[in-house]
Amino acid sequence: MTGKLSLPRIEVPILWRKRASEFLRSFSAPRQAGEPVREWLRSLSPEDRKRIGEDIKSVEYGWPVGMPVCRPLGNGIYEVRTMLTQGRIARVLFYIDKKSRMVMLHALIKKTRKTPDDDLVLARSNKNKHQRGPE
């Protein structure tokens, strides 16, 4: 053993079109519950979607990635951190499942320095739903 920490390569089941900002699919709660992260992304401007998409792509191809792009929040949940236009800050919360896939759990525009507890609770709930599988 060389003493190096060996982390598994993740496979991110997100399909990209010509630009990283144009999502075809993202994962969140079970399929019948909709795809809240995808819907949230669609509500943003093209420039903001592009910035978030580029940061998600950095995590996808560079895992494990640390600050300033990605930060652990505990319980296996991480956040992709993106600076948007007009000084806003976006966070996309995700976890890595047993199949080494990046699963998008929740997304938000931060208004305070700390990630709100309600958003963390929702991300944990979506993670638990995803781990249980279709009901």
Side-chain angles (χ1 to χ4, degrees):
M1 179 149 180
T2 63
K4 277 187 171 178
L5 179 61
S6 176
L7 295 172
R9 170 91 170 108
I10 63 168
E11 296 176 27
V12 180
I14 297 174
L15 304 175
W16 303 90
R17 282 194 220 168
K18 294 177 185 171
R19 295 187 322 222
S21 64
E22 298 179 20
F23 278 81
L24 289 176
R25 179 172 180 153
S26 65
F27 287 81
S28 57
R31 190 103 176 120
Q32 59 271 33
E35 294 178 326
V37 174
R38 182 179 188 184
E39 293 164 15
W40 177 82
L41 283 165
R42 285 185 170 168
S43 73
L44 300 174
S45 72
E47 176 63 26
D48 288 344
R49 284 195 308 266
K50 180 179 179 189
R51 288 180 185 204
I52 293 168
E54 288 169 350
D55 286 343
I56 289 172
K57 188 176 175 182
S58 294
V59 172
E60 174 185 2
Y61 290 106
W63 185 258
V65 176
M67 293 288 281
V69 176
C70 185
R71 182 175 76 105
L73 298 177
N75 296 324
I77 297 176
Y78 300 86
E79 68 178 0
V80 175
R81 307 156 52 93
T82 304
M83 290 298 297
L84 302 178
T85 57
Q86 301 169 345
R88 295 170 303 138
I89 303 168
R91 299 293 187 256
V92 177
L93 308 183
F94 71 95
Y95 87 104
I96 307 301
D97 72 2
K98 291 180 181 179
K99 295 179 181 178
S100 296
R101 297 178 300 184
M102 181 181 188
V103 181
M104 310 292 173
L105 301 170
H106 181 57
L108 64 141
I109 303 287
K110 282 184 68 169
K111 294 178 175 61
T112 63
R113 193 164 169 83
K114 185 177 183 281
T115 302
D117 290 335
D118 291 347
D119 291 301
L120 289 173
V121 168
L122 181 58
R124 285 187 205 111
S125 171
N126 287 343
K127 178 184 174 188
N128 291 337
K129 287 177 189 173
H130 185 269
Q131 288 174 328
R132 283 194 306 266
E135 297 175 356

